[in-house]
Amino acid sequence: MRKLATMLFAATLSLSLAVGARAGELIGVSMPTQSLQRWNQDGANMKSQLEAAGYRVDLQYAGDNDIPTQVNQLENMISSGCRVLVIAAIDGTSLTKVLATAKENGIKVIAYDRLIMNSDAVSYYATFDNFKVGTTQGGFIRDKLDLDNAKGPFNIELFTGDPGDNNVNFFFGGALSILKPHLDSGKLVVPSGQTSQAQASTVNWNTEESQKRMENLISAIGYGPNGTKLNAVLSSNDSVANGVTNALAAAGYRKGNFPVLTGQDCDKPSMKNILAGTQSMSVFKDTRTLARQVVKMVDAIIKGRTVEINDTKTYDNGTGIIPSFLCDPVICTIDNYKALLIDSGYYTEADLR
Ligand code: BGC
């Protein structure tokens, strides 16, 4: 009996030690900017879910996409004793040095949403299937213009995101994998001739930048409801789509004659545009799901358990393949937004008014 009691005591003690050790662990969460809705949600979800799992959280936003600030904040996280760093990098190639220090200190690194390049300190990557985001956008344009059957030719302009964001290769590459055969056959035409990823890029995914570029295209090519026809604009995300929308609206486009326009994130301004009949679609990436998956990763790392991954092929960061977990992105249009966003509690109807 006494032996059993001793064993029970020992078991309870080691359990409470394990829980106690875990409870205090500090996790660093580094986000790129507060100027875009999604990263605020990502940060808030990560913090609340990590805290609910018993961790302490050092959550930092790197000003407005300021790379030196992000490096600085990561240095502080390392020196303040974070056990795991969860990082949504501003520029995938700028963190090699600071992450070498993390590795020397035995700190694990999870690349969040965007892959961190050229660093062997990155242990895991959690994101949405970025190529599928691109094929969803390209597929939407193909179907809306009925490229497989209609005669064409159709005019399109191409917009993607920041050149330092590795996701852009997948978003743009995925979309082009669908559109390229139609560009090659001449059914789809880019009147500006700006077809390369570099030409289509938008520094910092900035709305003003994409607006400026669309304004320039409008005046150079003469697009307008009564001018040169513009059938579609591929935009890799919502912040870029919003700039395109502003320029097109200023040129006189309205619901009814608006070009097919894609997006990603289901940001509130874009959802309002979708409801108003200007932007055509977005891609929903539920930030709650990504946060949940990353919290599971953190927890498994800290407890020395197997980390759940579902992709070991796609994401090479220059030092080898990074084991990844890809969440599923879902197309969002005026037809399914209620089920996707409202019924799931992501937004209220009032949010989108
Ligand atoms: C993210 C997108 C986001 C974009 C701009 C990308 O890396 O995957 O969801 O719209 O960055 O912040």
Side-chain angles (χ1 to χ4, degrees):
M1 193 60 187
R2 180 181 271 173
K3 200 167 166 205
L4 182 67
T6 314
M7 273 166 62
L8 272 177
F9 175 72
T12 317
L13 185 68
S14 63
L15 187 72
S16 61
L17 276 178
V19 172
R22 194 202 70 181
E25 298 295 3
L26 185 60
I27 310 299
V29 178
S30 170
M31 292 284 142
T33 176
Q34 266 182 308
S35 74
L36 205 71
Q37 185 191 325
R38 76 152 290 180
W39 302 113
N40 293 286
Q41 286 171 327
D42 286 285
N45 290 335
M46 280 301 301
K47 188 169 185 326
S48 64
Q49 293 188 28
L50 278 170
E51 285 175 350
Y55 294 99
R56 291 180 298 132
V57 181
D58 183 0
L59 167 64
Q60 301 289 338
Y61 293 89
D64 186 7
N65 290 308
D66 189 55
I67 297 170
T69 302
Q70 186 162 49
V71 172
N72 225 336
Q73 290 172 339
L74 289 169
E75 281 165 355
N76 290 337
M77 288 174 185
I78 293 168
S79 54
S80 64
C82 286
R83 290 279 314 279
V84 178
L85 300 178
V86 177
I87 306 167
I90 297 165
D91 181 314
T93 59
S94 303
L95 302 179
T96 311
K97 206 159 145 241
V98 66
L99 294 191
T101 314
K103 193 174 179 188
E104 280 159 24
N105 285 277
I107 300 167
K108 295 276 189 243
V109 174
I110 300 174
Y112 183 97
D113 192 84
R114 299 168 171 172
L115 187 56
I116 299 165
M117 307 305 285
N118 308 331
S119 166
D120 65 358
V122 180
S123 306
Y124 298 100
Y125 179 36
T127 189
F128 286 84
D129 184 337
N130 295 306
F131 195 79
K132 185 174 171 193
V133 170
T135 57
T136 304
Q137 295 164 336
F140 184 87
I141 291 174
R142 177 199 57 207
D143 295 347
K144 278 287 157 189
L145 300 183
D146 195 18
L147 293 176
D148 290 336
N149 303 300
K151 202 157 148 278
F154 298 103
N155 288 343
I156 187 171
E157 293 293 344
L158 310 175
F159 283 72
T160 191
D162 190 82
D165 182 345
N166 185 58
N167 286 351
V168 164
N169 300 319
F170 291 84
F171 299 151
F172 196 71
L176 267 279
S177 74
I178 304 280
L179 299 179
K180 187 151 187 310
H182 302 289
L183 289 165
D184 289 347
S185 75
K187 197 179 274 186
L188 207 49
V189 178
V190 181
S192 69
Q194 296 174 7
T195 53
S196 73
Q197 188 170 311
Q199 287 170 318
S201 72
T202 310
V203 170
N204 278 338
W205 296 91
N206 184 276
T207 300
E208 287 74 35
E209 288 294 319
S210 61
Q211 179 167 341
K212 250 189 277 158
R213 182 163 165 252
M214 191 67 240
E215 285 166 357
N216 289 340
L217 293 175
I218 288 168
S219 49
I221 314 290
Y223 292 126
N226 303 312
T228 306
K229 185 118 183 100
L230 179 60
N231 300 96
V233 178
L234 170 75
S235 163
S236 287
N237 90 335
D238 284 348
S239 60
V240 169
N242 289 338
V244 172
T245 299
N246 294 343
L248 292 175
Y253 287 102
R254 298 283 176 269
K255 175 182 180 170
N257 65 8
F258 222 79
V260 177
L261 172 62
T262 61
Q264 163 182 206
D265 292 334
C266 293
D267 278 353
K268 285 179 200 164
S270 276
M271 289 315 301
K272 290 181 187 172
N273 288 341
I274 288 176
L275 298 185
T278 50
Q279 188 173 323
S280 319
M281 61 85 84
S282 190
V283 178
F284 182 45
K285 305 196 302 185
D286 193 330
T287 49
R288 298 168 299 188
T289 310
L290 183 58
R292 209 174 303 127
Q293 202 57 45
V294 175
V295 170
K296 276 207 246 167
M297 276 186 170
V298 169
D299 206 41
I301 289 171
I302 296 281
K303 291 176 180 158
R305 291 206 301 246
T306 308
V307 174
E308 189 183 352
I309 50 168
N310 62 10
D311 183 285
T312 52
K313 285 206 261 309
T314 312
Y315 290 98
D316 188 328
N317 83 338
T319 67
I321 300 271
I322 306 298
S324 306
F325 191 97
L326 311 186
C327 304
D328 199 33
V330 183
I331 187 167
C332 179
T333 66
I334 197 162
D335 298 324
N336 71 346
Y337 84 97
K338 274 204 172 117
L340 216 52
L341 304 178
I342 310 291
D343 298 350
S344 76
Y346 200 75
Y347 290 140
T348 62
E349 283 281 8
D351 287 331
L352 305 183
R353 243 170 251 139

Short mmCIF file of all heavy atoms in Angstrom, two decimals, residues 124-170:
data_model
loop_
_atom_site.label_atom_id
_atom_site.label_comp_id
_atom_site.label_asym_id
_atom_site.label_seq_id
_atom_site.Cartn_x
_atom_site.Cartn_y
_atom_site.Cartn_z
N TYR A 124 10.28 23.82 -39.04
CA TYR A 124 8.98 23.47 -39.63
C TYR A 124 8.39 24.69 -40.33
O TYR A 124 8.77 25.84 -40.05
CB TYR A 124 7.99 22.99 -38.55
CG TYR A 124 8.46 21.73 -37.86
CD1 TYR A 124 9.07 21.80 -36.60
CD2 TYR A 124 8.31 20.49 -38.46
CE1 TYR A 124 9.53 20.65 -35.97
CE2 TYR A 124 8.77 19.34 -37.84
CZ TYR A 124 9.38 19.42 -36.60
OH TYR A 124 9.84 18.29 -36.00
N TYR A 125 7.44 24.40 -41.21
CA TYR A 125 6.73 25.46 -41.93
C TYR A 125 5.24 25.13 -41.88
O TYR A 125 4.84 24.00 -42.15
CB TYR A 125 7.23 25.47 -43.38
CG TYR A 125 6.58 26.48 -44.30
CD1 TYR A 125 6.20 27.74 -43.86
CD2 TYR A 125 6.38 26.18 -45.66
CE1 TYR A 125 5.64 28.66 -44.73
CE2 TYR A 125 5.82 27.10 -46.54
CZ TYR A 125 5.45 28.34 -46.06
OH TYR A 125 4.89 29.26 -46.93
N ALA A 126 4.45 26.11 -41.47
CA ALA A 126 3.00 25.93 -41.46
C ALA A 126 2.38 27.03 -42.31
O ALA A 126 2.69 28.21 -42.13
CB ALA A 126 2.44 26.00 -40.05
N THR A 127 1.53 26.65 -43.24
CA THR A 127 0.98 27.64 -44.15
C THR A 127 -0.31 27.10 -44.75
O THR A 127 -0.78 26.02 -44.37
CB THR A 127 2.01 27.95 -45.27
OG1 THR A 127 1.56 29.06 -46.03
CG2 THR A 127 2.25 26.77 -46.20
N PHE A 128 -0.87 27.84 -45.67
CA PHE A 128 -1.94 27.30 -46.51
C PHE A 128 -1.28 26.81 -47.79
O PHE A 128 -0.16 27.21 -48.10
CB PHE A 128 -2.98 28.39 -46.79
CG PHE A 128 -3.84 28.68 -45.60
CD1 PHE A 128 -3.42 29.55 -44.62
CD2 PHE A 128 -5.05 28.03 -45.44
CE1 PHE A 128 -4.19 29.80 -43.49
CE2 PHE A 128 -5.84 28.27 -44.32
CZ PHE A 128 -5.40 29.15 -43.34
N ASP A 129 -1.98 25.97 -48.52
CA ASP A 129 -1.44 25.46 -49.77
C ASP A 129 -1.38 26.64 -50.76
O ASP A 129 -2.39 27.00 -51.38
CB ASP A 129 -2.35 24.33 -50.28
CG ASP A 129 -1.79 23.70 -51.54
OD1 ASP A 129 -1.00 24.36 -52.25
OD2 ASP A 129 -2.16 22.55 -51.82
N ASN A 130 -0.19 27.24 -50.84
CA ASN A 130 -0.06 28.48 -51.60
C ASN A 130 -0.23 28.29 -53.11
O ASN A 130 -0.73 29.17 -53.80
CB ASN A 130 1.29 29.12 -51.30
CG ASN A 130 1.39 29.54 -49.84
OD1 ASN A 130 0.54 30.26 -49.35
ND2 ASN A 130 2.42 29.08 -49.15
N PHE A 131 0.22 27.14 -53.60
CA PHE A 131 0.03 26.87 -55.03
C PHE A 131 -1.46 26.76 -55.35
O PHE A 131 -1.95 27.27 -56.35
CB PHE A 131 0.78 25.59 -55.43
CG PHE A 131 0.95 25.42 -56.92
CD1 PHE A 131 1.94 26.12 -57.60
CD2 PHE A 131 0.12 24.57 -57.64
CE1 PHE A 131 2.10 25.97 -58.98
CE2 PHE A 131 0.27 24.42 -59.02
CZ PHE A 131 1.27 25.12 -59.68
N LYS A 132 -2.18 26.13 -54.42
CA LYS A 132 -3.63 25.98 -54.63
C LYS A 132 -4.34 27.34 -54.60
O LYS A 132 -5.34 27.55 -55.30
CB LYS A 132 -4.23 25.03 -53.58
CG LYS A 132 -5.69 24.74 -53.82
CD LYS A 132 -6.26 23.70 -52.88
CE LYS A 132 -7.78 23.62 -53.03
NZ LYS A 132 -8.40 22.85 -51.94
N VAL A 133 -3.82 28.27 -53.79
CA VAL A 133 -4.39 29.63 -53.82
C VAL A 133 -4.30 30.16 -55.25
O VAL A 133 -5.27 30.69 -55.81
CB VAL A 133 -3.62 30.57 -52.85
CG1 VAL A 133 -4.04 32.02 -53.05
CG2 VAL A 133 -3.84 30.15 -51.41
N GLY A 134 -3.13 29.98 -55.86
CA GLY A 134 -2.91 30.47 -57.23
C GLY A 134 -3.78 29.76 -58.25
O GLY A 134 -4.38 30.41 -59.12
N THR A 135 -3.88 28.44 -58.14
CA THR A 135 -4.70 27.71 -59.13
C THR A 135 -6.18 28.05 -58.94
O THR A 135 -6.95 28.07 -59.91
CB THR A 135 -4.51 26.17 -59.05
OG1 THR A 135 -4.81 25.74 -57.73
CG2 THR A 135 -3.10 25.76 -59.43
N THR A 136 -6.58 28.35 -57.70
CA THR A 136 -7.97 28.75 -57.45
C THR A 136 -8.28 30.06 -58.16
O THR A 136 -9.33 30.23 -58.80
CB THR A 136 -8.23 28.88 -55.94
OG1 THR A 136 -7.89 27.64 -55.31
CG2 THR A 136 -9.67 29.23 -55.63
N GLN A 137 -7.33 31.00 -58.08
CA GLN A 137 -7.53 32.30 -58.73
C GLN A 137 -7.50 32.15 -60.26
O GLN A 137 -8.38 32.66 -60.96
CB GLN A 137 -6.45 33.28 -58.27
CG GLN A 137 -6.55 33.61 -56.79
CD GLN A 137 -5.30 34.25 -56.21
OE1 GLN A 137 -4.19 34.09 -56.74
NE2 GLN A 137 -5.47 34.98 -55.11
N GLY A 138 -6.51 31.42 -60.75
CA GLY A 138 -6.41 31.21 -62.21
C GLY A 138 -7.62 30.45 -62.73
O GLY A 138 -8.17 30.78 -63.79
N GLY A 139 -8.04 29.44 -61.98
CA GLY A 139 -9.20 28.63 -62.38
C GLY A 139 -10.47 29.45 -62.41
O GLY A 139 -11.34 29.26 -63.28
N PHE A 140 -10.58 30.39 -61.48
CA PHE A 140 -11.77 31.26 -61.44
C PHE A 140 -11.84 32.11 -62.71
O PHE A 140 -12.90 32.22 -63.35
CB PHE A 140 -11.72 32.14 -60.19
CG PHE A 140 -12.95 32.98 -60.01
CD1 PHE A 140 -14.06 32.48 -59.35
CD2 PHE A 140 -13.00 34.28 -60.51
CE1 PHE A 140 -15.21 33.26 -59.19
CE2 PHE A 140 -14.13 35.07 -60.35
CZ PHE A 140 -15.24 34.55 -59.68
N ILE A 141 -10.70 32.69 -63.08
CA ILE A 141 -10.66 33.52 -64.29
C ILE A 141 -10.97 32.67 -65.52
O ILE A 141 -11.78 33.05 -66.38
CB ILE A 141 -9.29 34.22 -64.43
CG1 ILE A 141 -9.15 35.28 -63.33
CG2 ILE A 141 -9.11 34.85 -65.81
CD1 ILE A 141 -7.80 35.95 -63.25
N ARG A 142 -10.35 31.49 -65.60
CA ARG A 142 -10.60 30.58 -66.73
C ARG A 142 -12.10 30.28 -66.85
O ARG A 142 -12.69 30.38 -67.92
CB ARG A 142 -9.83 29.27 -66.52
CG ARG A 142 -10.08 28.22 -67.61
CD ARG A 142 -9.69 26.83 -67.13
NE ARG A 142 -10.41 26.50 -65.91
CZ ARG A 142 -9.98 25.66 -64.97
NH1 ARG A 142 -8.81 25.07 -65.09
NH2 ARG A 142 -10.70 25.43 -63.89
N ASP A 143 -12.73 29.98 -65.72
CA ASP A 143 -14.16 29.60 -65.76
C ASP A 143 -15.05 30.80 -66.08
O ASP A 143 -16.00 30.70 -66.84
CB ASP A 143 -14.58 28.96 -64.44
CG ASP A 143 -13.84 27.64 -64.21
OD1 ASP A 143 -13.22 27.13 -65.17
OD2 ASP A 143 -13.87 27.13 -63.07
N LYS A 144 -14.74 31.96 -65.45
CA LYS A 144 -15.58 33.14 -65.69
C LYS A 144 -15.53 33.58 -67.14
O LYS A 144 -16.54 34.01 -67.71
CB LYS A 144 -15.14 34.30 -64.79
CG LYS A 144 -15.68 34.22 -63.39
CD LYS A 144 -17.17 34.57 -63.36
CE LYS A 144 -17.78 33.95 -62.13
NZ LYS A 144 -19.22 33.99 -62.03
N LEU A 145 -14.34 33.53 -67.74
CA LEU A 145 -14.23 33.93 -69.16
C LEU A 145 -14.53 32.75 -70.08
O LEU A 145 -14.54 32.91 -71.30
CB LEU A 145 -12.82 34.48 -69.44
CG LEU A 145 -12.38 35.71 -68.64
CD1 LEU A 145 -11.00 36.17 -69.09
CD2 LEU A 145 -13.38 36.86 -68.78
N ASP A 146 -14.74 31.59 -69.50
CA ASP A 146 -15.01 30.37 -70.26
C ASP A 146 -13.92 30.13 -71.31
O ASP A 146 -14.20 29.88 -72.49
CB ASP A 146 -16.41 30.45 -70.91
CG ASP A 146 -16.86 29.07 -71.40
OD1 ASP A 146 -16.29 28.05 -70.94
OD2 ASP A 146 -17.77 29.01 -72.25
N LEU A 147 -12.68 30.21 -70.85
CA LEU A 147 -11.55 30.15 -71.78
C LEU A 147 -11.48 28.85 -72.56
O LEU A 147 -10.95 28.82 -73.67
CB LEU A 147 -10.23 30.36 -71.01
CG LEU A 147 -10.03 31.75 -70.41
CD1 LEU A 147 -8.74 31.80 -69.60
CD2 LEU A 147 -10.00 32.82 -71.51
N ASP A 148 -12.03 27.79 -71.97
CA ASP A 148 -11.96 26.50 -72.67
C ASP A 148 -12.88 26.45 -73.89
O ASP A 148 -12.67 25.66 -74.80
CB ASP A 148 -12.29 25.34 -71.71
CG ASP A 148 -11.17 25.14 -70.69
OD1 ASP A 148 -10.02 25.53 -71.00
OD2 ASP A 148 -11.46 24.63 -69.59
N ASN A 149 -13.91 27.32 -73.89
CA ASN A 149 -14.90 27.25 -74.98
C ASN A 149 -15.03 28.55 -75.78
O ASN A 149 -15.26 28.50 -77.00
CB ASN A 149 -16.28 26.88 -74.42
CG ASN A 149 -16.22 25.57 -73.67
OD1 ASN A 149 -15.87 24.55 -74.24
ND2 ASN A 149 -16.52 25.60 -72.38
N ALA A 150 -14.94 29.68 -75.10
CA ALA A 150 -15.20 30.95 -75.79
C ALA A 150 -14.08 31.25 -76.79
O ALA A 150 -12.98 30.71 -76.70
CB ALA A 150 -15.31 32.08 -74.78
N LYS A 151 -14.39 32.13 -77.74
CA LYS A 151 -13.44 32.37 -78.82
C LYS A 151 -12.35 33.37 -78.43
O LYS A 151 -11.21 33.25 -78.84
CB LYS A 151 -14.22 32.87 -80.04
CG LYS A 151 -13.49 32.66 -81.33
CD LYS A 151 -14.46 32.61 -82.51
CE LYS A 151 -13.78 33.17 -83.75
NZ LYS A 151 -13.81 34.64 -83.80
N GLY A 152 -12.75 34.38 -77.62
CA GLY A 152 -11.77 35.38 -77.26
C GLY A 152 -11.44 36.27 -78.43
O GLY A 152 -12.19 36.29 -79.40
N PRO A 153 -10.30 36.97 -78.46
CA PRO A 153 -9.35 37.02 -77.35
C PRO A 153 -9.84 37.89 -76.21
O PRO A 153 -10.66 38.79 -76.42
CB PRO A 153 -8.10 37.63 -78.01
CG PRO A 153 -8.63 38.47 -79.13
CD PRO A 153 -9.88 37.79 -79.60
N PHE A 154 -9.32 37.63 -75.03
CA PHE A 154 -9.66 38.40 -73.84
C PHE A 154 -8.43 39.12 -73.32
O PHE A 154 -7.33 38.57 -73.35
CB PHE A 154 -10.18 37.46 -72.74
CG PHE A 154 -11.44 36.73 -73.10
CD1 PHE A 154 -11.40 35.40 -73.48
CD2 PHE A 154 -12.66 37.39 -73.08
CE1 PHE A 154 -12.56 34.72 -73.81
CE2 PHE A 154 -13.84 36.70 -73.42
CZ PHE A 154 -13.79 35.37 -73.78
N ASN A 155 -8.65 40.33 -72.82
CA ASN A 155 -7.53 41.10 -72.25
C ASN A 155 -7.44 40.93 -70.74
O ASN A 155 -8.46 40.99 -70.04
CB ASN A 155 -7.72 42.59 -72.57
CG ASN A 155 -7.46 42.90 -74.03
OD1 ASN A 155 -6.85 42.09 -74.74
ND2 ASN A 155 -7.93 44.05 -74.49
N ILE A 156 -6.24 40.74 -70.28
CA ILE A 156 -6.01 40.56 -68.83
C ILE A 156 -4.74 41.32 -68.43
O ILE A 156 -3.84 41.51 -69.26
CB ILE A 156 -5.86 39.05 -68.49
CG1 ILE A 156 -5.78 38.82 -66.98
CG2 ILE A 156 -4.64 38.41 -69.18
CD1 ILE A 156 -5.85 37.35 -66.56
N GLU A 157 -4.69 41.80 -67.19
CA GLU A 157 -3.44 42.32 -66.62
C GLU A 157 -3.15 41.53 -65.35
O GLU A 157 -4.06 41.04 -64.68
CB GLU A 157 -3.54 43.82 -66.32
CG GLU A 157 -3.66 44.71 -67.57
CD GLU A 157 -2.39 44.72 -68.45
OE1 GLU A 157 -1.32 44.31 -67.98
OE2 GLU A 157 -2.51 45.15 -69.63
N LEU A 158 -1.85 41.41 -65.02
CA LEU A 158 -1.41 40.53 -63.95
C LEU A 158 -0.78 41.31 -62.79
O LEU A 158 0.12 42.13 -63.01
CB LEU A 158 -0.37 39.52 -64.49
CG LEU A 158 -0.77 38.77 -65.77
CD1 LEU A 158 0.40 37.91 -66.26
CD2 LEU A 158 -2.01 37.93 -65.55
N PHE A 159 -1.26 41.04 -61.59
CA PHE A 159 -0.71 41.69 -60.39
C PHE A 159 -0.40 40.62 -59.34
O PHE A 159 -1.26 39.79 -59.03
CB PHE A 159 -1.75 42.64 -59.77
CG PHE A 159 -1.90 43.94 -60.51
CD1 PHE A 159 -2.52 43.98 -61.76
CD2 PHE A 159 -1.44 45.13 -59.95
CE1 PHE A 159 -2.66 45.18 -62.44
CE2 PHE A 159 -1.59 46.34 -60.63
CZ PHE A 159 -2.20 46.37 -61.87
N THR A 160 0.82 40.68 -58.79
CA THR A 160 1.10 39.80 -57.67
C THR A 160 1.72 40.60 -56.52
O THR A 160 1.57 41.83 -56.48
CB THR A 160 1.93 38.57 -58.11
OG1 THR A 160 1.97 37.63 -57.05
CG2 THR A 160 3.34 38.94 -58.54
N GLY A 161 2.40 39.91 -55.58
CA GLY A 161 2.80 40.59 -54.35
C GLY A 161 4.27 40.93 -54.24
O GLY A 161 4.95 41.11 -55.26
N ASP A 162 4.77 41.00 -53.02
CA ASP A 162 6.12 41.47 -52.77
C ASP A 162 7.18 40.47 -53.25
O ASP A 162 7.07 39.27 -52.96
CB ASP A 162 6.31 41.70 -51.26
CG ASP A 162 7.61 42.43 -50.98
OD1 ASP A 162 7.63 43.67 -51.10
OD2 ASP A 162 8.61 41.74 -50.68
N PRO A 163 8.20 40.98 -53.95
CA PRO A 163 9.22 40.08 -54.50
C PRO A 163 9.99 39.31 -53.41
O PRO A 163 10.55 38.26 -53.69
CB PRO A 163 10.17 41.00 -55.26
CG PRO A 163 9.56 42.35 -55.25
CD PRO A 163 8.40 42.39 -54.33
N GLY A 164 10.02 39.82 -52.18
CA GLY A 164 10.75 39.13 -51.11
C GLY A 164 9.91 38.07 -50.41
O GLY A 164 10.40 37.41 -49.49
N ASP A 165 8.67 37.91 -50.83
CA ASP A 165 7.77 36.95 -50.20
C ASP A 165 7.75 35.67 -51.04
O ASP A 165 7.25 35.66 -52.17
CB ASP A 165 6.36 37.57 -50.11
CG ASP A 165 5.35 36.66 -49.41
OD1 ASP A 165 5.64 35.46 -49.24
OD2 ASP A 165 4.27 37.16 -49.05
N ASN A 166 8.30 34.59 -50.47
CA ASN A 166 8.39 33.33 -51.21
C ASN A 166 7.02 32.83 -51.68
O ASN A 166 6.92 32.14 -52.69
CB ASN A 166 9.06 32.28 -50.32
CG ASN A 166 9.31 30.97 -51.04
OD1 ASN A 166 9.98 30.94 -52.06
ND2 ASN A 166 8.74 29.89 -50.53
N ASN A 167 5.97 33.19 -50.97
CA ASN A 167 4.63 32.75 -51.37
C ASN A 167 4.26 33.21 -52.78
O ASN A 167 3.48 32.55 -53.47
CB ASN A 167 3.56 33.30 -50.40
CG ASN A 167 3.58 32.57 -49.07
OD1 ASN A 167 4.26 31.56 -48.91
ND2 ASN A 167 2.82 33.09 -48.11
N VAL A 168 4.82 34.35 -53.16
CA VAL A 168 4.48 34.92 -54.46
C VAL A 168 4.82 33.94 -55.59
O VAL A 168 4.08 33.81 -56.57
CB VAL A 168 5.21 36.28 -54.64
CG1 VAL A 168 5.21 36.73 -56.09
CG2 VAL A 168 4.53 37.33 -53.78
N ASN A 169 5.93 33.22 -55.43
CA ASN A 169 6.29 32.23 -56.46
C ASN A 169 5.18 31.20 -56.64
O ASN A 169 4.91 30.74 -57.74
CB ASN A 169 7.57 31.49 -56.06
CG ASN A 169 8.73 32.44 -55.90
OD1 ASN A 169 8.89 33.35 -56.70
ND2 ASN A 169 9.51 32.26 -54.85
N PHE A 170 4.53 30.86 -55.55
CA PHE A 170 3.48 29.84 -55.59
C PHE A 170 2.15 30.43 -56.04
O PHE A 170 1.42 29.82 -56.82
CB PHE A 170 3.35 29.17 -54.21
CG PHE A 170 4.56 28.33 -53.88
CD1 PHE A 170 5.69 28.90 -53.33
CD2 PHE A 170 4.57 26.98 -54.17
CE1 PHE A 170 6.81 28.13 -53.06
CE2 PHE A 170 5.68 26.20 -53.90
CZ PHE A 170 6.82 26.78 -53.34
#
